[in-house]
Amino acid sequence: LAGTLRFRAPVLSRSSALDPQFIVAEYEVDGVGERVLNAGGRVSYRSTDEKLRVGATMIHDEDNSTKTNLGGVDARYRPNVDTEVRAEYAVSDAKAKTSGAAAGTAKAWLIEAEHHSRSMDVLAYVRTREAGFGTGQLNSGEDGTRKFGFDARVKATRSLSLTGSAWQEDYLNVDARRRAAKALVEYDNGTTVLRAGLTHADDRLTDGSRNTS
């Protein structure tokens, strides 16, 4: 049994406002599974001026093939209403219950700084995720990668805006990396929308060759 979903238009990873966009498919299957315990908990602290928030999270996830424990800490600092700095660090440990199931310990961390004003939105980030991290809930496309870069949007006038992003992504398990940049100019006067964009990518493949597009 197989099925295909077709979209009327391409779905970009980010909207024109730099908000992340994902496609989530939910489904159910019939069968008799083993009864297991899944649980989690979180504690957090917030300063009286609400500028600083720190927290810790623990998760136990188990199914018929894998038992995973995950623990993480996170912090958020907001020096003012326009700026926020975030940091996270987590470790997951998976144990196989059946042959062929994934197992092992993996780490992930990130640091992000975000600023918003009337004419500019900026997000700078660096994040690392080792292969096998998590409980299977994350996008596998960034498994075993380290990525850093920025996204920005500048509103030049009420009708004209410029969106740009640049990043480098290193693949931790193989000697490969990608450097890329995108720029988009958008004109919107309420009745007419015009867009022009450019994307550049420089890839180093696992065999050492280069691919530029």
Side-chain angles (χ1 to χ4, degrees), residues 71-141:
V73 294
D74 59 89
R76 186 194 72 181
Y77 177 63
R78 301 189 68 178
N80 52 60
V81 296
D82 300 326
T83 305
E84 179 175 296
V85 180
R86 298 179 293 270
E88 299 178 11
Y89 180 84
V91 179
S92 66
D93 179 62
K95 292 181 172 59
K97 298 172 60 178
T98 60
S99 60
T105 301
K107 301 182 291 293
W109 59 268
L110 70 83
I111 300 174
E112 295 180 337
E114 191 169 358
H115 176 77
H116 300 278
S117 65
R118 297 180 61 181
S119 60
M120 179 181 295
D121 300 308
V122 180
L123 170 66
Y125 59 88
V126 54
R127 55 178 177 258
T128 295
R129 196 172 93 203
E130 295 180 351
F133 172 79
T135 59
Q137 84 286 9
L138 298 173
N139 177 13
S140 60

Side-chain angles (χ1 to χ4, degrees), residues 18 21 27 33 36 42 47 54 90 99 110 117 164 184 198-199 208 213:
L18 299 181
Q21 299 185 137
Y27 60 93
V36 295
R42 176 173 173 80
S47 62
V54 295
S99 60
L110 70 83
S117 65
L184 173 68
L198 178 67
T199 300
S213 58

Side-chain angles (χ1 to χ4, degrees), residues 197-213:
L198 178 67
T199 300
H200 173 77
D202 179 13
D203 297 329
R204 185 183 67 216
L205 307 181
T206 55
D207 60 1
S209 60
R210 300 283 290 272
N211 188 10
T212 302
S213 58

